[in-house]
Amino acid sequence: MKIALFAGDGIGPEIMDQARRVLDALNLPGLVVWEGDVGGAAYRRHGHPLPEETLEMARAADGVLFGAVGDPECDNLERHLRPEQAILGLRSNLGLFANLRPAKMFAGLENMSALRPEIARQIDVLIVRELNGDVYFGEKAMRTLDDGRRQGYDVMSYAEDEVRRIAHVAFRAAQGRKGMLCSVDKANVLETSQLWRDVVVETASDYPDVELTHMYIDNAAMQMVKDPGQFDVVVTGNLFGDILSDQASMCVGSIGLLASAALGERQTDFGTFGMYEPIHGSAPDIAGQGKANPMAMILSLAMLLRHSLGRENDAVRIERAVAKALEDGVLGGDLGGNAGTVEIGDAVLARM
Ligand code: IPM
Ligand code: MG
């Protein structure tokens, strides 16, 4: 079993250290762990946010654990050299098109939600976000029009096979949950969304046991705070999924708790190759202070064990330990508590 760890920028290294401790505690036989550079840290060392050797390391691994990238000092670099390109480059080069972003209320945190506790308690949603297409990867540029005005543009598009493969992932996920799938688009305005909707409807005929609904993104954003309990699995495009998943994270209390998986088609000896990361960013304002909550990072490790290494029992063991720590009141600053990064790591280890 080969795992690559890419800690990245800001709080990435300190939260990755805690995930590493948890991984070491499992004592997996025959496990090989590599470390690679990404983001601003990689730019400083190699002149590029996603060096070739990092990409090769990812290709050779069964799974990648990714910390965070983003560094204010790099914000004025040309776009292709900015830290965010590491994550976009890994997603596209490795064909990681299916992003699973679960958001579930942890017992004891109902009062941390931005929503009223009785509404927050209902949240148990899996957002399946397409990750290789949409306006993120379409033609984009800045140009000067004939009359001298500057214009920026980004082309939004989806081809039918791109929609179909993510739809299959979402339908199958719904089959393993409550059997409800809500496809989110903007088909009242966008052609891209009309095709999305048509293909999702076509794909539905393979899954008669799943109840399919459709929602426009603006309404979905509203419903996510009005009545999030109505959602089981949500499938949506890259841009809408980016926004909706941050929103869902606030409904459960903190973005510091949410893990994600980016999966492709490649099978490893133990499962599906994937990259796993907290959905929060590099939080440069608190980097290096030992304050960051490593729980989302640790929960990302659990997802890696489940999907890429076929170790469901270890994944559950970690998830239970995190849930128990929260229940016992081990709260990071993001949850109004004062437990530090290492302390939270200790608390999770103790409960494993
Ligand atoms: C995410 C992030 C990324 C995205 C950024 C860092 C490029 O916001 O994973 O949600 O937009 O996909
Ligand atoms: Mg995002």
Side-chain angles (χ1 to χ4, degrees):
M1 293 185 285
K2 302 178 288 283
I3 302 185
L5 308 181
F6 300 160
D9 304 320
I11 60 171
E14 50 201 292
I15 57 174
M16 184 65 86
D17 283 347
Q18 300 312 310
R20 180 68 199 255
R21 291 176 69 206
V22 169
L23 177 62
D24 289 345
L26 295 175
N27 248 316
L28 302 184
L31 177 72
V32 181
V33 181
W34 298 319
E35 289 179 19
D37 293 325
V38 289
Y43 174 75
R44 284 200 190 82
R45 217 164 294 159
H46 312 267
H48 197 280
L50 178 57
E52 192 53 39
E53 59 209 79
T54 299
L55 195 53
E56 283 313 309
M57 192 183 281
R59 286 209 173 95
D62 297 310
V64 174
L65 195 58
F66 192 100
V69 290
D71 179 342
E73 282 177 26
C74 295
D75 280 351
N76 294 320
L77 293 173
E78 282 176 64
R79 184 167 298 283
H80 76 280
L81 293 176
R82 291 194 204 160
E84 289 75 11
Q85 294 306 310
I87 194 160
L88 297 173
L90 283 162
R91 288 172 183 171
S92 64
N93 281 290
L94 302 172
L96 302 171
F97 69 89
N99 194 196
L100 310 184
R101 297 190 161 191
K104 188 177 173 174
M105 182 50 88
F106 285 92
L109 295 190
E110 294 84 355
N111 289 316
M112 306 293 168
S113 171
L115 307 180
R116 287 197 304 280
E118 66 273 21
I119 292 177
R121 197 168 290 125
Q122 316 290 326
I123 303 171
D124 182 1
V125 58
L126 173 66
I127 298 182
V128 178
R129 169 191 178 197
E130 200 288 331
L131 212 50
N132 277 176
D134 202 353
V135 70
Y136 270 61
F137 291 97
E139 188 193 326
K140 58 178 74 223
M142 295 255 214
R143 62 187 169 197
T144 306
L145 299 172
D146 290 344
D147 63 7
R149 284 178 303 150
R150 288 171 302 155
Q151 185 189 53
Y153 66 95
D154 303 82
V155 175
M156 176 183 271
S157 75
Y158 267 120
E160 57 181 313
D161 56 307
E162 295 175 304
V163 180
R164 202 168 291 120
R165 64 182 183 173
I166 192 73
H168 280 294
V169 170
F171 276 109
R172 284 197 299 266
Q175 283 179 323
R177 294 173 48 109
K178 288 179 218 144
M180 284 153 53
L181 177 62
C182 178
S183 172
V184 170
D185 63 36
K186 188 73 186 173
N188 50 346
V189 179
L190 303 172
E191 285 303 304
T192 313
S193 283
Q194 187 58 56
L195 180 86
W196 176 280
R197 191 175 282 217
D198 293 347
V199 174
V200 170
V201 168
E202 287 157 26
T203 311
S205 59
D206 290 351
Y207 304 90
D209 50 335
V210 174
E211 183 196 319
L212 173 67
T213 54
H214 303 274
M215 213 179 261
Y216 296 136
I217 176 63
D218 49 350
N219 185 27
M222 181 177 79
Q223 297 297 333
M224 188 62 77
V225 290
K226 183 172 177 244
D227 175 22
Q230 70 185 282
F231 296 110
D232 179 22
V233 179
V234 169
V235 64
T236 189
N238 206 344
L239 181 63
F240 300 154
D242 179 44
I243 300 166
L244 216 50
S245 58
D246 266 34
Q247 195 189 2
S249 75
M250 269 304 114
C251 301
V252 303
S254 170
I255 197 165
L257 297 177
L258 295 199
S260 73
L263 306 175
E265 262 146 19
R266 175 158 80 83
Q267 296 302 305
T268 68
D269 291 343
F270 319 97
T272 304
F273 172 76
M275 182 164 82
Y276 304 82
E277 49 172 311
I279 82 161
H280 61 68
S282 59
D285 52 322
I286 58 163
Q289 299 174 26
K291 284 191 202 165
N293 183 352
M295 283 176 169
M297 185 82 253
I298 292 171
L299 291 168
S300 298
L301 171 64
M303 288 187 97
L304 184 154
L305 290 160
R306 169 173 298 123
H307 295 285
S308 291
L309 297 184
R311 301 195 66 102
E312 176 70 21
N313 291 346
D314 290 320
V316 170
R317 196 173 151 206
I318 293 171
E319 287 165 350
R320 288 210 178 121
V322 170
K324 188 76 180 48
L326 287 168
E327 230 180 295
D328 293 345
V330 181
L331 304 180
D334 56 319
L335 291 166
N338 50 21
T341 311
V342 176
E343 196 183 327
I344 295 176
D346 289 342
V348 173
L349 283 167
R351 286 162 182 80
M352 281 169 64

